[in-house]
Amino acid sequence: RKHYLQTTMRMAVILRQAANKAAKISTRNFSGSHSESSSSSSLTGPSIKSLALSVHFKQPDFGMKDYEILSRASAFFLAVDPPEPTKSPDSAYSHLDQAEEERKARKLKQDYLAEPAGGPPRPVEELGWLEFCPGNFRPVVHCVAASHVLAPWLWKNYYPQDWLTQVKPEHCAYSLEVFDPQKPLEPLAKFALNPYPIHDPTGRDLAVVHLKEEETALKHMKDLGVEVLYLRDDNELFAKGQEVIFDGFNISEDSVAGQEEVEVSKSQKTKAKEGDEEEDTRIFFPYNTTGQLILGSPDRFLASTPSPLPEGVCGGPTLDTDGKVCGIVEGIIPTTHENKQMAGAASFIPSPLISGFIEYAEKHMLEQIVPESLLTKIVGMKAGKGLVPDQEEYRDPEATEGTEEHVHNDYTEENTNRAYEELVSKMREAESMEEADDIMTTVRRERDEVMDILKREGGDVDDVIKQVRQKAIDDLRSRWKDMDEQREEIADAEVIDSKAEDK
C-alpha cells in the first residue's frame, strides 16, 4: 500500500509531463483487450454480429405519398454496460451461488425503485454516463452505424445531389433487419429505430441510434441469434500484420456489388428527368472477410483484404480474433491510388475513437434526461468529487482495515488522492475529451506496470517510474518509426465506396 501511495503521488506529479508527451505519442496507441468473452447466441449456427440498416424517407415537397429507400448499409450493437465479471466454472455448489445472487437481486428490487446498471463494481469516476441514468430511460445497447448512411445530406463530398439538401431528419424513418447468414434471401425480422441519431461532433463517419420498444425487440433478437458486441479495452496495442475480421452486408442484385448506396427516389427521378425508372430491387447479402493491418494513423487504420470491400459493409464492425470490436468500417482507398500498398485497402475508424464518441453520445443523452442540478453533481462525481460539497469519498472499513500504520507517511492517502484528482480535473478542463482519455489510459497502464515491477523485483519507486515511462515512449516511437512518413498520406487519402469510384 505504501508503494501504491507513493506511486500515485509520483504519477500525479508527472501528469503535466504526460499531457505533453502522451497526447502526441499515445494517440497512436492502438488499444484493446481480450479479457471478457462476448455474449453467446441462442442459435446453434454462427451468431449474427451485423444488422441490415435501412433509411426510408418521405419528403412532401417532392410529391411523395409513401416512404421510399434513401440509404442502406450495415450496423451493429454495442453494449451500454460493460460485461459482467467472468464467473467461476460450475461446481457442486454453483447452484447455491446462483440462488444467492437471485436472492440479492430480489432484495435490491424491494429496497430500490431504480434498477442499477450492470458490469463489475468500479470506482464512480470510471462509470459510464448512462450508468447514472434511471433504468427506465437507459438503453441496453447502442446501434452503431456510419453517419453518411443515417444522414447522407450531411456528406456532400459523398453525395453532391442538390435534392438531398431538402431532406431533413423529420422526413426519415430508420429500421434494422436481421438476416440468417445461412439463409440470406429473406429477413428473419424487422425492427424500428427511434428517429434521433447522434452524430460524431468532430466530423468522423460515426453515429448511434436506438431501438424502439427496446426490451421487446432485444428479447426477440436474442432468440434469433443477434449478438451484442463489446469494444476492445484501451490497454492492448495493435500490431502490424494482425488479423482483423470485417462483417456486414453486400447490398447487391445477384450478388454483384457496385451499386449506389444512396438511392434517388422514384418521385425525385421523375421530377428531375421524365422517363420510367425501375424500383430498387437489390437485397442484403451477409458478408464476412478477413484482413491484415498494414498502416495506421491516429484517425484511421488500413487493412489489406483479398478483394476490396463492397460498399454495403460501411458501418459494419471490424472485429479482432476474440470477437471484440476494434473498429467500424469507413470505406476503401481507391484502387487507383498511386501508393500500391494502400490501393483498395479497407479503411476503418479504430476502437479508441469509437469509445470517445460513445462517451460523448452518452453524456449528450444524459443531458436530455436528468435535471441540470443533478447533471452538475454527476459531472463532479465523475471528476472525483463527493456527492455534496466537501464530502469525502466513502471508504469501505474492511478495505482500509490495518492501514493505520501509513497515516503518518509523508504521502497520506487523503492528500495523494486530492492532489491526483485536482490535476485530473484541471487536465480534463484544458484538454479535449479524447486527449484526456488517452493521457489517463497511459497513466493507468504505466502505474499498473510500476506496481507489478515493485511487487516482483522491488527497487526505488522513482527509478521504476522513470524506467517504465522511457520504455513506453521508446516502444511507441519504435513501433511507428517506419510509418511516420506515411501518416499524412494515410490521413489525407480519399476514402470512398464503390459508388464514388465508379463515378
Side-chain angles (χ1 to χ4, degrees):
R1 188 172 182 84
K2 177 180 178 182
H3 282 154
Y4 173 83
L5 295 176
Q6 291 178 326
T7 301
T8 304
M9 190 61 183
R10 296 297 196 280
M11 287 301 179
V13 173
I14 66 169
L15 261 177
R16 295 184 187 277
Q17 205 170 22
N20 295 327
K21 292 184 178 180
K24 294 179 180 178
I25 299 173
S26 68
T27 49
R28 299 188 243 177
N29 179 356
F30 298 165
S31 308
S33 87
H34 313 293
S35 54
E36 299 90 2
S37 59
S38 300
S39 58
S40 60
S41 164
S42 61
L43 295 182
T44 56
S47 61
I48 298 173
K49 295 179 172 61
S50 295
L51 301 162
L53 171 65
S54 295
V55 182
H56 292 74
F57 81 116
K58 182 174 67 174
Q59 166 52 285
D61 294 344
F62 294 166
M64 300 175 66
K65 297 182 179 180
D66 300 308
Y67 279 94
E68 299 178 13
I69 282 289
L70 177 67
S71 58
R72 292 183 294 182
S74 305
F76 60 96
F77 282 155
L78 272 183
V80 171
D81 293 343
E84 296 289 344
T86 304
K87 296 181 179 180
S88 57
D90 291 340
S91 68
Y93 303 100
S94 58
H95 65 288
L96 298 179
D97 295 335
Q98 182 178 353
E100 177 64 13
E101 290 180 6
E102 292 174 354
R103 184 193 69 79
K104 289 180 179 179
R106 288 195 299 270
K107 188 175 186 305
L108 193 65
K109 288 186 177 181
Q110 293 173 359
D111 296 340
Y112 295 93
L113 177 63
E115 182 179 351
R122 284 150 290 145
V124 66
E125 56 266 26
E126 293 183 13
L127 296 176
W129 290 103
L130 290 182
E131 294 186 78
F132 294 92
C133 180
N136 54 325
F137 292 103
R138 183 177 66 244
V140 175
V141 298
H142 298 299
C143 177
V144 185
S147 172
H148 79 269
V149 177
L150 290 172
W153 55 87
L154 298 177
W155 294 78
K156 297 184 184 299
N157 57 324
Y158 281 8
Y159 311 114
Q161 296 95 326
D162 290 338
W163 65 270
L164 270 175
T165 61
Q166 302 178 57
V167 180
K168 305 298 180 186
E170 57 266 29
H171 302 139
C172 297
Y174 308 87
S175 63
L176 294 174
E177 290 176 291
V178 179
F179 285 84
D180 183 348
Q182 299 175 344
K183 300 177 181 178
L185 295 182
E186 291 293 334
L188 299 175
K190 186 174 183 178
F191 301 89
L193 294 166
N194 285 316
Y196 312 113
I198 302 172
H199 298 270
D200 184 272
T202 66
R204 294 190 181 96
D205 199 359
L206 271 173
V208 293
V209 67
H210 298 89
L211 284 165
K212 288 185 178 179
E213 305 295 334
E214 184 187 64
E215 184 176 358
T216 303
L218 279 182
K219 183 178 179 181
H220 189 184
M221 290 176 136
K222 182 178 179 181
D223 292 339
L224 295 174
V226 174
E227 183 176 349
V228 177
L229 304 174
Y230 293 93
L231 282 174
R232 286 170 61 105
D233 188 87
D234 289 341
N235 290 320
E236 187 173 338
L237 299 176
F238 278 101
K240 187 174 182 179
Q242 181 174 336
E243 181 177 305
V244 293
I245 302 164
F246 296 101
D247 198 87
F249 290 90
N250 178 357
I251 303 173
S252 62
E253 201 163 16
D254 296 329
S255 297
V256 177
Q259 307 286 338
E260 288 190 356
E261 183 178 341
V262 172
E263 306 300 326
V264 181
S265 71
K266 292 180 292 182
S267 301
Q268 182 63 20
K269 286 178 178 177
T270 302
K271 184 176 180 180
K273 176 182 178 181
E274 292 297 326
D276 296 330
E277 299 284 356
E278 293 185 0
E279 184 177 358
D280 179 28
T281 58
R282 295 180 300 148
I283 60 177
F284 288 99
F285 284 90
Y287 180 90
N288 182 282
T289 191
T290 59
Q292 283 73 43
L293 295 181
I294 54 173
L295 297 170
S297 73
D299 296 320
R300 176 183 299 164
F301 288 0
L302 301 183
S304 62
T305 53
S307 60
L309 300 181
E311 52 87 9
V313 184
C314 288
T318 305
L319 306 165
D320 63 20
T321 53
D322 286 342
K324 295 297 179 64
V325 175
C326 57
I328 178 174
V329 178
E330 186 182 23
I332 64 169
I333 302 298
T335 56
T336 56
H337 195 280
E338 60 183 12
N339 185 322
K340 298 303 180 183
Q341 185 183 20
M342 293 171 54
S347 170
F348 65 94
I349 299 171
S351 53
L353 299 182
I354 301 176
S355 178
F357 165 61
I358 292 296
E359 182 170 358
Y360 161 82
E362 291 186 350
K363 185 179 181 183
H364 173 78
M365 294 170 67
L366 188 65
E367 290 171 347
Q368 315 305 312
I369 296 171
V370 302
E372 184 176 353
S373 58
L374 179 55
L375 180 66
T376 301
K377 291 183 177 181
I378 293 173
V379 172
M381 292 173 67
K382 289 271 289 177
K385 300 178 182 178
L387 185 59
V388 295
D390 302 324
Q391 179 186 26
E392 293 186 4
E393 182 182 354
Y394 169 77
R395 302 189 185 284
D396 187 347
E398 294 183 2
T400 58
E401 185 177 357
T403 63
E404 290 79 8
E405 64 187 54
H406 300 295
V407 171
H408 300 291
N409 188 280
D410 290 340
Y411 303 110
T412 64
E413 184 168 0
E414 180 181 0
N415 292 337
T416 298
N417 287 336
R418 183 180 294 114
Y420 185 81
E421 289 164 2
E422 286 178 358
L423 282 171
V424 171
S425 179
K426 290 178 180 179
M427 182 188 67
R428 290 189 180 279
E429 292 175 1
E431 305 291 344
S432 69
M433 177 180 66
E434 293 174 1
E435 290 172 336
D437 287 343
D438 283 336
I439 294 168
M440 292 307 302
T441 297
T442 300
V443 170
R444 281 193 291 266
R445 184 176 64 249
E446 293 180 12
R447 182 190 63 189
D448 292 343
E449 188 173 348
V450 168
M451 293 301 299
D452 182 61
I453 293 175
L454 290 173
K455 182 178 179 180
R456 290 186 291 103
E457 304 173 8
D460 181 77
V461 174
D462 288 325
D463 290 342
V464 175
I465 290 175
K466 184 177 180 180
Q467 171 191 337
V468 170
R469 286 287 302 145
Q470 192 59 48
K471 177 178 176 294
I473 293 173
D474 291 345
D475 181 63
L476 288 172
R477 283 176 176 167
S478 175
R479 184 179 295 274
W480 291 105
K481 182 178 180 181
D482 295 335
M483 304 174 77
D484 279 342
E485 295 180 357
Q486 297 171 319
R487 285 185 59 204
E488 291 186 5
E489 184 177 14
I490 296 168
D492 296 338
E494 180 186 14
V495 176
I496 65 167
D497 56 22
S498 54
K499 162 191 173 289
E501 185 165 33
D502 290 344
K503 183 175 179 179

